[in-house]
Amino acid sequence: MKGQKKIVIIGLVLLMALSAVLAGCGGSASNSASNRGNDKQVLNLNLTQEPPTLDPQKATDVVSIDILTEVLDGLTRYDKDGKIKPGSGLAKSWDISNDGLTYTFHLRDAKWSDGNPITAEDFEYAWKRALDPNTASQYAYQLFYIKGAEEYNSGKGSADQVAVKALDDKTLQVTLKAPTPQFLGLTSFVTYLPLEKSVYEKYGDKVGADPDKLVYSGPFIISQWNHEQSITLKKNKDYWDSSSVKLQTVNFSMIKDNNTLVQNYDNSTLDSIFVPGDYIDKYKNSSEYNDKALATNWYVQFNTKSPVFKNADIRKAFTLAIDRKAFVEHVTKDGSIPAEAVVPPGIPGYNGDFRKEAGETYFKDNDVAQAKELLKKGMSELGISKLPTITLLGDDTDNAKKYDQALQQMWKQNLGVNVQIQNVAFKVRIDMMNKGNYDMVFAGWGADYNDPLTFLDMWETNNGNNTAFYSNPEYDKLIDEAKVNGDLKARNEQLIQAEKILMNDMPIGPVYFQARAFVVKPYVKDLYFPTFGSDWEFKWAYIQND
Amino acid sequence: MVDISKDKFEIIGANASESQSIVRPSISYWQDAWRRLKMNKVAMASLVFLIFLVLMAIFGPYMRPFDYAHQDLFNTNKPFSKVHWFGTDYLGRDLFVRVWMGARVSLFIGVTIAFLDAVIGVTYGGIAGYFGGQVDNIMMRIVDILYGIPYLILVILLMVVMGQGLWTIITAMVMTGWVGMARIVRGQVLQLKEQEFVLAAKTLGASPGRIILRHLIPNALGPIIVSMTFDVPNAIFSEAFLSYIGLGIRAPLASWGTLANDATQVLLMYPMQLFIPGFFISVTMLAFNMLGDGLRDALDPRLRR
Amino acid sequence: MLNYSLKRFVYMLITIWVIVTLTFFLMHMIPGDPFTSEKKVPEQIRQNMLAKYHLDKPLIVQYGYYLNNLIHGDLGISLKYLNRTVDDIIKQSAPASFQLGIQSIILGVIFGLLFGIIAALKRGGGWDYFSMFLAIIGISVPNFIIATLLQLLLASKLRWLPVSGWGSFKYTILPSIALSFSTLSIISRMMRTSMLDVIGQDYIKTAKAKGLSQLQIIWKHMVRNAIMPVVTVLGPLIAGIVTGTFVIEQIFSIPGLGKFFVQSIYDEDYSMILGTTIFYSVILVVMMFLVDIAYGLIDPRVRLAKGGK
């Protein structure tokens, strides 16, 4: 018997040895800088999943947008430095009326990938298609700035009443409901991207199901799409600006597993990846590592209808008790920065950065003494001596699980409050938030467009996204006025005032402004990472050969 | 007929007391099983190890001056040291304490589920197999249906109804977990019930319940025990899978499954974080299997001497 | 036999119908709907979307629609992949899962039986402990760890095989091996135990006494009698594996069906949930049927149903 038992033990020892070998191979960042003599202009990137739909009017998620914005050009296109300039997209130039309501776009001579000219009518058709109730486009509301759009979508008006008109083949006129400074940027957004009218009519609901059910107007075309597996883009020879495009091929894999992703980068089968949270330490000191601020804020959202968090002082206490600095340095690690305000830096104000104009912070980070004080005060206001069980509604992503636990511990250490974490499936969580069936939730908001309003109008009383059920008439008034204010300086003041009120009432406790960590192989040049919208911009990217 | 003369026989008389004497001491089935189990050294070693594990699960978390939930954000992902015997995790929590807290949760889940699955599965499978025919047919179609309904839907719904917690997980897993056992037992019973000893028992007027419990189940004990020993790790990993998709036990509580899961996320950098829970899971399963083997031998009525 | 098969076929249809019905109503009980999203859309747009996919109708009407379409062989359109039908998605992703499943089952069954038989014959010997060890590893180390380790060692370090992806045979090797571990361990353990049960039986002694060769005894008398529990577990095992495994497919980035079983539920993609459930159920029920047939073929003592002879 003894001899045989040995075999089992030897086996276990082998297992241990295997683990020890693995222990040795962690740590250092990739050593494959000169790994590839890539003489072809091929870029390999990873999409985290299959694009749900490549129908431009139905796409809503970042993966679909990643592909669509590279194969379709809008009236405008964000430049390398994230600005909109005339002539950056299919519109050669535009005129804006003095009241800021009417936009007249003059289209350049450009062709679809099937050789037909791109006309203003294609735009008109696409936009009206997005608004058609029968299309049932989720992002139809992105076009609600246009006069008559909402009416048509909700069945109260007709297509003809939508103020989009192709004056001739090359001229498109749009009239807006109210002055909208972000409108030019919006015309580069996915819902505004057109296809050829005949393609729409031919494929109907099947538009974008396969590469042959699309036509292309952007820097690239889709040459192959193996569902759930890979997408291959090739350079679009008919693109109006094809001389700027140096890449011949872009390959996308669809890897979801973090370890697999990292190994593929280390093996140079991928040229750039977004570093999964846990692997940031591995690359942090590498020259290939970088991070980029995103226009996204993360905050603890309080249910202002809950028996405890209806009290503003308790909300503030929970906000102040968070150690943001430690949080971003040791928990997120991805270059995110502590947030003591709502609107992230980088969002333009009247004349520069909104964050600078409004002031950097509204409160002190990790102000434990003040937090304790406020908690005591709040509890006596509520007339309670002991807090009931407080639950933090959790998300099911790996990062969120980690972050939730870090917050939980900070409240325990700094406030002495035991918070329970409750994890539910994603849609169940959204449903619970909508129904007000929670105490606190850790949530984030990414910009829809490049303006502070995208972070502020959601907290209006009747906004569907206001699941904190926050309500302040003064706040509503400021936002409503700002929405239609043509005087941009006064508008900016109103937004600053609104943010101040929001931070005073604190239905949300800001935690951090998100950044995204990524690594890029040194031979990849001019690959850009936009602050919102898509993950990359590789129109100008190229491979530098040694 | 050969004639045998009477003088070849001798009367030795009857001794009443001797005729009642028993060569071996009378022992019950269970005593006998225990006696034989004790003789199996590997099984006993496994038993001792499992007892040690249970003791560590109870006392281990108090052996170090750390709370399982206490975070030290300045000491995350640290290797083994004198302070942190098993190192720390991504939030700077002591892994020694967490491993033993995890042992509590995992062992409890594993053993409870294996037990419940066995009780339900054996009863159900035994009845279906014994009665056969239409009863079997209908009972087995119900099993097919339970196999067919997506398990995750049940879990998500249970979470909504019961809230997140240990018993929700156990309920969810038992709801579908027992069907495997039921099928195995039914297969065995189908085979066994045609054998002569069942016929004998029937002839002697044993009730179906008695036949199933006393005759069929003990004869099917081998596969049942093996299946149970597989159920334990299965349950531990189902729980890990649920944690993986965010529906497991309530954080910051840990289980071996969640520890292994968390560690897999950083496998390429800190493999030791995976190794520790992985090691304990493997060794525990080894012990359960060895013990299961020993038990099987000990409980097998055919091997009773 | 024919009569029996026909009967079973009717039962299968009923079983699948019950599964579909239960799943249909259960999934609608989960809070939220396919169009619940983080960023809220105006109510009117939501209504437009619900109307387009008939989700605004009463549940029982939707159920009627679904059954009607189902009878006509239409599984509907995915509510996440808005321009792809469930049919298309299953047709496109099932082959990868199938190939992987079959390969791993073959590996697992062959080696599982082999190890199990040898372990039982050489009880307490080196082989016994080796197979036991393998079985323990297979069952106690979860497949995501095995998969990651194999990938790290054979693909990343030694570069013998690709890390991930799909295309040619070489891509299938690692995932098949990773997937076969649990099959192998379950089968080898099951086989070993039931072989041990059989070895002690009188008819083996009889066979020996008759002077049959060792191999004949093992094959005709032992394996045949011992294989029943293995066959029992094999049914659902095969059904589970050939319809795809979420974890393995995710780790090796394989375009299989496995992820849809999990993801569709999270997305509350109703038509996809039902599509995958039906697909799985059909395979499962057929496997169960085959298992029951196999019972009768392997062991003549087992009579399936009265009058089934």
Side-chain angles (χ1 to χ4, degrees):
Chain A
M1 225 41 178
K2 245 180 213 164
Q4 290 90 35
K5 216 158 73 184
K6 246 184 218 157
I7 295 177
V8 179
I9 291 164
I10 289 170
L12 284 171
V13 169
L14 276 175
L15 186 71
M16 278 192 241
L18 187 67
S19 305
V21 170
L22 295 175
C25 53
S28 76
S30 73
N31 50 355
S32 49
S34 58
N35 208 328
R36 194 168 89 154
N38 186 347
D39 52 338
K40 293 194 189 88
Q41 291 296 327
V42 180
L43 181 66
N44 300 298
L45 298 172
N46 183 52
L47 291 174
T48 47
Q49 56 158 323
E50 160 94 357
T53 171
L54 291 186
D55 180 332
Q57 275 72 45
K58 288 184 188 165
T60 55
D61 64 292
V62 69
V63 180
S64 304
I65 292 173
D66 279 343
I67 299 293
L68 282 169
T69 51
E70 296 294 346
V71 298
L72 295 175
D73 239 12
L75 288 171
T76 59
R77 188 181 190 91
Y78 278 96
D79 225 327
K80 297 177 189 179
D81 52 3
K83 297 258 163 27
I84 296 278
K85 289 180 195 129
S88 56
L90 289 174
K92 186 166 63 182
S93 63
W94 51 78
D95 313 310
I96 306 171
S97 66
N98 287 336
D99 57 5
L101 292 179
T102 304
Y103 287 66
T104 311
F105 294 95
H106 306 286
L107 269 59
R108 64 171 71 251
D109 289 320
K111 279 188 206 151
W112 293 108
S113 54
D114 62 2
N116 295 330
I118 299 172
T119 65
E121 210 179 309
D122 294 329
F123 281 91
E124 186 188 331
Y125 186 87
W127 295 7
K128 286 183 176 167
R129 176 177 182 259
L131 292 167
D132 185 344
N134 293 322
T135 308
S137 159
Q138 186 176 341
Y139 266 8
Y141 66 89
Q142 301 279 5
L143 285 89
F144 282 2
Y145 305 95
I146 299 167
K147 215 165 121 186
E150 190 167 358
E151 289 77 2
Y152 175 37
N153 185 249
S154 55
K156 290 181 202 115
S158 70
D160 295 337
Q161 288 163 341
V162 182
V164 185
K165 203 157 183 55
L167 298 180
D168 58 46
D169 269 2
K170 297 288 167 201
T171 317
L172 184 75
Q173 194 179 61
V174 189
T175 308
L176 306 181
K177 274 194 292 205
T180 313
Q182 72 271 20
F183 184 70
L184 279 178
L186 273 173
T187 59
S188 71
F189 189 74
V190 65
T191 324
Y192 286 79
L193 301 177
L195 294 179
E196 209 176 326
K197 191 176 162 187
S198 59
V199 171
Y200 283 130
E201 282 165 348
K202 190 164 164 197
Y203 296 111
D205 278 342
K206 283 268 176 193
V207 161
D210 286 295
D212 59 350
K213 298 189 178 71
L214 283 166
V215 280
Y216 308 98
S217 60
F220 298 92
I221 61 165
I222 302 175
S223 78
Q224 214 182 10
W225 182 2
N226 297 322
H227 290 288
E228 318 293 331
Q229 186 186 350
S230 63
I231 291 184
T232 307
L233 303 187
K234 295 271 184 212
K235 182 176 169 172
N236 180 1
K237 301 204 167 49
D238 298 314
Y239 184 48
W240 64 268
D241 192 20
S242 66
S243 61
S244 306
V245 182
K246 300 187 187 97
L247 287 175
Q248 292 297 327
T249 307
V250 182
N251 294 314
F252 287 100
S253 54
M254 298 175 192
I255 296 169
K256 232 183 158 181
D257 184 76
N258 289 348
N259 291 319
T260 309
L261 190 65
V262 167
Q263 289 175 64
N264 272 298
Y265 180 76
D266 286 350
N267 287 0
S268 295
T269 31
L270 289 175
D271 298 323
S272 173
I273 58 168
F274 291 102
V275 185
D278 301 303
Y279 281 102
I280 288 172
D281 288 339
K282 177 175 156 79
Y283 295 108
K284 201 142 201 174
N285 299 317
S286 154
S287 60
E288 296 165 15
Y289 176 89
N290 212 333
D291 56 56
K292 165 96 189 179
L294 297 179
T296 301
N297 61 1
W298 284 87
Y299 46 83
V300 176
Q301 177 178 314
F302 303 102
N303 179 1
T304 58
K305 290 246 159 70
S306 97
V308 177
F309 293 114
K310 67 183 180 196
N311 182 288
D313 285 323
I314 297 185
R315 297 199 293 264
K316 278 181 206 167
F318 273 72
T319 307
L320 294 181
I322 297 168
D323 185 350
R324 291 164 185 74
K325 195 162 168 288
F327 193 86
V328 298
E329 277 173 17
H330 303 288
V331 183
T332 73
K333 300 182 189 172
D334 54 6
S336 295
I337 56 172
E340 285 108 23
V342 181
V343 179
I347 300 288
Y350 172 62
N351 192 11
D353 196 329
F354 178 84
R355 190 68 278 132
K356 292 226 164 63
E357 288 169 2
E360 300 278 354
T361 62
Y362 288 98
F363 55 87
K364 205 172 133 232
D365 182 27
N366 197 18
D367 192 348
V368 178
Q370 176 78 359
K372 281 183 176 152
E373 196 70 25
L374 282 167
L375 182 65
K376 211 189 277 168
K377 192 171 154 225
M379 280 165 68
S380 73
E381 280 163 8
L382 286 176
I384 51 173
S385 56
K386 198 171 157 285
L387 285 176
T389 312
I390 291 171
T391 313
L392 177 66
L393 188 57
D395 201 338
D396 49 11
T397 64
D398 290 328
N399 277 345
K401 273 190 280 184
K402 188 156 116 182
Y403 299 172
D404 289 345
Q405 291 184 55
L407 289 174
Q408 179 188 40
Q409 188 64 17
M410 285 175 183
W411 286 318
K412 184 173 182 184
Q413 267 166 17
N414 296 343
L415 283 183
V417 179
N418 279 317
V419 172
Q420 255 190 347
I421 296 175
Q422 187 188 9
N423 279 325
V424 291
F426 175 74
K427 295 217 173 190
V428 176
R429 182 180 76 117
I430 302 287
D431 194 70
M432 286 171 82
M433 285 166 71
N434 290 344
K435 291 186 177 135
N437 209 347
Y438 73 102
D439 294 327
M440 289 190 283
V441 63
F442 188 48
W445 186 264
D448 283 331
Y449 46 86
N450 208 5
D451 191 273
L453 197 60
T454 187
F455 293 99
L456 295 172
D457 71 348
M458 60 188 287
W459 303 114
E460 276 193 290
T461 303
N462 287 320
N463 192 298
N465 286 306
N466 180 2
T467 45
F469 308 105
Y470 169 65
S471 176
N472 185 335
E474 205 184 335
Y475 184 83
D476 294 351
K477 188 163 160 272
L478 282 166
I479 296 291
D480 282 342
E481 282 172 11
K483 273 183 177 168
V484 294
N485 200 336
D487 177 352
L488 294 184
K489 184 156 190 250
R491 176 182 185 269
N492 200 45
E493 277 311 310
Q494 286 163 334
L495 292 178
I496 292 173
Q497 276 306 314
E499 193 188 37
K500 196 175 280 171
I501 291 172
L502 192 65
M503 281 296 87
N504 194 42
D505 293 338
M506 218 164 257
I508 55 168
V511 178
Y512 68 94
F513 297 127
Q514 193 186 350
R516 207 157 176 208
F518 55 87
V519 279
V520 185
K521 296 283 180 191
Y523 49 76
V524 179
K525 305 290 178 196
D526 283 0
L527 177 63
Y528 295 100
F529 296 82
T531 45
F532 64 93
S534 59
D535 287 315
W536 314 271
E537 172 61 279
F538 46 80
K539 175 180 169 182
W540 298 280
Y542 63 97
I543 305 294
Q544 192 177 54
N545 303 309
D546 312 315
Chain B
M1 270 287 155
V2 184
D3 212 18
I4 298 167
S5 69
K6 270 195 173 168
D7 59 319
K8 286 197 174 168
F9 294 89
E10 184 192 343
I11 296 170
I12 58 165
N15 187 332
S17 68
E18 227 170 75
S19 79
Q20 292 298 314
S21 84
I22 292 164
V23 184
R24 287 194 300 183
S26 160
I27 48 174
S28 73
Y29 174 60
W30 293 107
Q31 278 172 322
D32 185 46
W34 173 237
R35 184 182 62 81
R36 274 184 286 140
L37 187 66
K38 271 197 294 195
M39 291 189 328
N40 186 336
K41 292 214 175 58
V42 180
M44 282 316 282
S46 304
L47 187 63
V48 169
F49 174 77
L50 288 175
I51 291 170
F52 164 76
L53 216 59
V54 171
L55 289 177
M56 280 306 282
I58 297 169
F59 299 110
Y62 307 115
M63 289 169 68
R64 301 295 301 146
F66 303 104
D67 183 65
Y68 71 94
H70 178 82
Q71 299 170 8
D72 179 357
L73 294 180
F74 295 92
N75 282 303
T76 56
N77 294 320
K78 286 284 178 266
F80 298 1
S81 68
K82 276 192 181 140
V83 186
H84 299 290
W85 292 350
F86 288 169
T88 62
D89 71 357
Y90 57 91
L91 288 171
R93 294 176 293 200
D94 183 80
L95 277 172
F96 182 82
V97 172
R98 285 181 73 73
V99 161
W100 295 118
M101 282 305 287
R104 284 186 194 180
V105 174
S106 286
L107 289 177
F108 182 73
I109 288 183
V111 173
T112 312
I113 286 178
F115 176 75
L116 291 177
D117 279 357
V119 170
I120 303 175
V122 167
T123 317
Y124 194 93
I127 293 172
Y130 181 76
F131 289 102
Q134 208 54 19
V135 177
D136 174 47
N137 213 337
I138 290 171
M139 285 177 85
M140 281 303 112
R141 296 300 77 73
I142 293 175
V143 165
D144 291 353
I145 290 167
L146 270 173
Y147 257 121
I149 293 174
Y151 168 64
L152 259 187
I153 292 187
L154 296 178
V155 177
I156 291 176
L157 280 176
L158 268 181
M159 290 276 172
V160 173
V161 178
M162 291 173 70
Q164 198 179 7
L166 211 55
W167 284 105
T168 313
I169 294 170
I170 290 176
T171 313
M173 290 205 261
V174 170
M175 260 166 78
T176 51
W178 61 269
V179 294
M181 180 67 87
R183 283 195 68 85
I184 288 170
V185 173
R186 175 223 176 221
Q188 288 283 301
V189 170
L190 271 182
Q191 196 181 25
L192 289 167
K193 72 170 180 184
E194 304 287 340
Q195 292 197 5
E196 292 71 15
F197 65 88
V198 178
L199 188 68
K202 266 188 201 160
T203 320
L204 290 172
S207 68
R210 190 182 158 83
I211 293 175
I212 294 173
L213 273 179
R214 297 301 301 240
H215 298 284
L216 295 175
I217 303 298
N219 275 292
L221 218 50
I224 293 176
I225 287 176
V226 171
S227 180
M228 268 179 88
T229 50
F230 278 160
D231 239 20
V232 176
N234 259 345
I236 290 178
F237 290 123
S238 300
E239 187 275 318
F241 177 72
L242 290 182
S243 305
Y244 176 66
I245 55 179
L247 301 172
I249 49 160
R250 230 180 242 278
L253 204 60
S255 68
W256 282 347
T258 55
L259 288 174
N261 243 328
D262 288 348
T264 314
Q265 302 297 318
V266 287
L267 177 66
L268 301 180
M269 293 171 72
Y270 312 110
M272 290 322 266
Q273 285 187 19
L274 176 61
F275 177 72
I276 293 290
F279 173 81
F280 279 109
I281 295 171
S282 303
V283 177
T284 307
M285 290 321 123
L286 192 68
F288 268 116
N289 273 281
M290 302 268 207
L291 182 63
D293 245 31
L295 276 177
R296 190 198 76 93
D297 289 351
L299 295 177
D300 192 335
R302 275 164 299 179
L303 293 176
R304 198 175 173 194
R305 279 167 304 210
Chain C
M1 197 66 203
L2 191 74
N3 198 4
Y4 174 72
S5 301
L6 207 73
K7 237 187 191 164
R8 274 301 289 263
F9 182 71
V10 174
Y11 276 122
M12 278 192 228
L13 286 185
I14 296 173
T15 307
I16 288 167
W17 171 70
V18 175
I19 292 174
V20 169
T21 307
L22 282 175
T23 307
F24 184 90
F25 289 102
L26 283 173
M27 76 186 179
H28 277 280
M29 281 163 68
I30 301 176
D33 63 53
F35 306 122
T36 303
S37 63
E38 184 119 55
K39 295 202 172 181
K40 271 283 201 39
V41 300
E43 190 50 32
Q44 186 54 47
I45 292 182
R46 242 183 85 78
Q47 289 309 324
N48 288 343
M49 296 178 78
L50 292 176
K52 183 168 176 109
Y53 302 99
H54 304 301
L55 296 173
D56 53 343
K57 305 269 186 325
L59 209 52
I60 194 77
V61 176
Q62 293 184 41
Y63 176 67
Y65 269 135
Y66 189 81
L67 278 194
N68 188 37
N69 287 341
L70 189 61
I71 289 165
H72 294 95
D74 178 9
L75 291 174
I77 216 166
S78 161
L79 299 173
K80 176 170 189 203
Y81 303 95
L82 289 173
N83 47 21
R84 295 173 71 194
T85 62
V86 174
D87 271 55
D88 282 346
I89 294 178
I90 292 179
K91 265 185 218 145
Q92 279 159 3
S93 10
S97 295
F98 237 79
Q99 188 185 349
L100 221 56
I102 301 278
Q103 281 178 209
S104 77
I105 288 277
I106 291 174
L107 270 182
V109 169
I110 290 179
F111 285 98
L113 286 181
L114 208 66
F115 287 158
I117 293 169
I118 296 175
L121 293 177
K122 310 264 179 211
R123 185 173 191 199
W127 264 104
D128 190 8
Y129 281 89
F130 174 74
S131 78
M132 160 93 86
F133 175 71
L134 231 96
I136 303 288
I137 295 297
I139 200 72
S140 68
V141 182
N143 56 5
F144 64 87
I145 295 181
I146 292 181
T148 313
L149 288 179
L150 281 174
Q151 185 186 44
L152 193 59
L153 214 68
L154 297 179
S156 234
K157 294 292 157 206
L158 298 171
R159 307 233 176 170
W160 290 348
L161 294 162
V163 172
S164 63
W166 192 249
S168 55
F169 178 69
K170 66 178 181 191
Y171 287 97
T172 68
I173 299 173
L174 284 184
S176 297
I177 295 176
L179 207 51
S180 68
F181 262 83
S182 62
T183 318
L184 189 153
S185 40
I186 290 173
I187 289 180
S188 69
R189 291 284 292 150
M190 279 274 157
M191 195 61 198
R192 175 181 178 272
T193 330
S194 57
M195 278 287 283
L196 287 180
D197 278 349
V198 169
I199 284 174
Q201 301 276 358
D202 294 337
Y203 55 80
I204 300 295
K205 284 177 202 151
T206 316
K208 273 186 191 155
K210 272 198 316 194
L212 287 182
S213 76
Q214 178 79 9
L215 220 71
Q216 269 178 312
I217 294 175
I218 293 173
W219 183 246
K220 280 206 173 141
H221 292 280
M222 292 188 187
V223 174
R224 220 183 137 152
N225 279 297
I227 211 163
M228 283 278 275
V230 176
V231 172
T232 314
V233 292
L234 218 50
L237 206 68
I238 292 178
I241 286 181
V242 298
T243 48
T245 355
F246 174 70
V247 178
I248 297 286
E249 284 175 12
Q250 177 154 323
I251 289 175
F252 291 103
S253 191
I254 291 162
L257 195 58
K259 75 165 200 183
F260 290 104
F261 283 90
V262 176
Q263 220 192 342
S264 64
I265 293 173
Y266 273 78
D267 295 332
E268 299 190 26
D269 183 347
Y270 295 145
S271 38
M272 199 66 214
I273 295 178
L274 289 170
T276 49
T277 304
I278 290 171
F279 184 72
Y280 172 67
S281 309
V282 169
I283 292 185
L284 181 78
V285 175
V286 170
M287 286 313 304
M288 299 296 196
F289 173 56
L290 292 181
V291 164
D292 282 353
I293 299 268
Y295 274 7
L297 291 180
I298 293 169
D299 192 336
R301 282 172 305 184
V302 175
R303 269 172 286 135
L304 287 162
K306 280 184 184 113
K309 277 183 281 187

